[in-house]
């Protein structure tokens, strides 16, 4: 009988054997509530089966996702731009693509890239892609140069920040004044506060000069003056970090990283040939921290920087007059004792290396002696005069 259907209740729950359950009474001439018990049993069975079925479905879906990579089908639809940043690994690229809904999962892109030997050729930059592409389609699209938005600009080594703003403005149409405004807060652009410390007792002047690393940059669409300068600062920090520049100059040169950066900028401006960058850096160190009578730089490039900073045209050494060469009021004077307040340009990696690890030597003087820009270095002024004579013979000075 349905009245005896066993739904898992034990004898204690049933009560004494043979008695009717509490709350049920036999109807006259009937079987004691069989229809109610039937409905309850069927309802409980359906709930139980539904719970088991739902759990099984959820578990199956989880298992399936574990073994089967979530991925879209085909080449996608629509159009979207995605920026791949410098130094991005496959996982970083995948994260950017998932965030833009280009691919369904990080795993889909990474697996497709690992299966494609050419994926190592994917470069940083901005790509024109589609939404909801398969991982393989996304990899193929990023390897097709037609989908890379080329908006590159090369910043040469040794350019001043003022000159860089002009180059950037010409390329992006962003006004120079916007770059100047953004540059007023170097720390806001990502320069760590500890960079602006000196061990020579001089007051720190916080400037973006020196931190705009010279390189070729892909300018993202809708970039701002601030975002572009941040990109350049990030590059500087990545390069100097990889070189261990800060650690090495403090340990080996016994100077602060900022002072070494100033020296790198001086070498970048004065050396006419990359072979001489380290030697020029050594001269700067020797003059300021060594036995040079005035402990001053006596470099014409600092005069030119002050001219540019104050909106005046720069000059060759031969064009500079005595008041400019001997000016002691300028913070970038040739006669200033010790190092100048800031770097005077944005040095490249070789100049940074020269300031970090200059060759040993007691040189205090140098002069270009050929048209390829090579210089002769001297420890005494007498030797310097002889080198100057050679330079005149070569028609250099």
């Amino acid at each position: 009988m349905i009245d005896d259907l066993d739904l898992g209740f034990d004898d204690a729950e049933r009560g004494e054997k043979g008695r009717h359950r509490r709350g049920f009474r036999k109807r006259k001439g009937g079987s004691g509530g069989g229809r109610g018990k039937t409905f309850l049993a069927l309802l409980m069975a359906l709930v139980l089966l539904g719970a088991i079925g739902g759990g099984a479905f959820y578990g199956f879906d989880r298992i399936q996702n574990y073994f089967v990579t979530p991925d879209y089908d085909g080449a996608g639809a629509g159009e979207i731009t995605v920026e791949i940043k410098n130094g991005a690994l496959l996982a970083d690229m995948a994260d950017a693509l998932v965030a833009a809904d280009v691919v369904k999962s990080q795993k889909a892109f990474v697996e497709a890239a690992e299966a494609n030997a050419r994926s190592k050729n994917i470069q940083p930059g901005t790509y024109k892609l589609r939404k909801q592409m398969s991982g393989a389609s996304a990899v193929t699209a990023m390897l097709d140069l037609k989908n890379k938005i080329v908006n590159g600009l090369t910043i040469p080594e040794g350019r001043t920040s003022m000159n860089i703003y002009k180059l950037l403005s010409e390329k992006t149409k962003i006004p120079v004044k916007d770059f100047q405004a953004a540059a007023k807060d170097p720390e806001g652009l990502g320069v760590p506060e500890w960079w602006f410390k000196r061990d020579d007792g001089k007051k720190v002047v916080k400037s973006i000069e020196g931190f705009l690393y010279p390189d070729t940059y892909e300018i993202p669409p809708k970039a701002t003056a601030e975002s572009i300068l941040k990109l350049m600062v990030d590059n500087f920090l990545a390069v100097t970090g990889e070189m261990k520049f800060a650690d090495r100059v403090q340990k080996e040169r016994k100077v602060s990283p900022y002072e070494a950066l100033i020296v790198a900028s001086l070498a970048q401006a004065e050396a006419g040939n990359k072979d001489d960058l380290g030697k020029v850096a050594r001269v700067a160190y020797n003059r300021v921290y060594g036995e040079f009578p005035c402990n001053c730089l006596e470099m014409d490039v600092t005069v030119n920087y002050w001219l540019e900073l104050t909106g005046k045209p720069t000059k060759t050494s031969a064009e500079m007059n005595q008041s400019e060469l001997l000016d002691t009021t300028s913070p970038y004077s040739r006669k200033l004792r010790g190092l100048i307040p800031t770097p005077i340009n944005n040095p490249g990696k070789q100049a940074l290396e020269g300031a970090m690890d200059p060759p040993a030597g007691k040189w205090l003087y140098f002069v270009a002696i050929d048209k390829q820009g090579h210089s002769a270095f001297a420890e005494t002024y007498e030797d310097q005069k002889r080198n100057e004579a050679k330079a005149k013979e070569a028609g250099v000075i």
Side-chain angles (χ1 to χ4, degrees), residues 294-351:
C294 66
N295 288 124
C296 57
L297 286 168
E298 285 200 345
M299 294 182 178
D300 297 347
V301 291
T302 66
V303 176
N304 258 334
Y305 184 71
W306 180 243
L307 290 173
E308 185 174 355
L309 205 60
T310 53
K312 299 173 184 176
T314 58
K315 300 179 179 181
T316 65
S317 296
E319 293 171 336
M320 291 180 185
N321 56 47
Q322 287 299 301
S323 64
E324 291 166 337
L325 292 170
L326 302 177
D327 181 16
T328 57
T329 62
S330 162
Y332 294 88
S333 169
R334 294 171 76 255
K335 297 294 185 180
L336 181 76
R337 189 175 182 83
L339 282 177
I340 52 180
T342 70
I344 61 170
N345 58 44
N346 295 275
K349 187 175 183 180
Q350 287 179 290

Side-chain angles (χ1 to χ4, degrees), residues 9 12 27 43 49 67 74 83 85 96 204 224 226-227 235 250 264 301-302 315-316 326 330 336 362 370 375 384 390:
F9 297 106
R27 293 180 182 179
L43 179 62
L49 289 171
F67 290 104
E83 181 187 358
K85 297 185 180 298
V204 173
T224 64
E226 185 178 3
S227 69
N235 199 8
Q250 289 176 100
V301 291
T302 66
K315 300 179 179 181
T316 65
L326 302 177
S330 162
L336 181 76
K362 296 181 179 180
D370 62 32
S375 293
Q384 169 72 356
K390 294 178 184 177

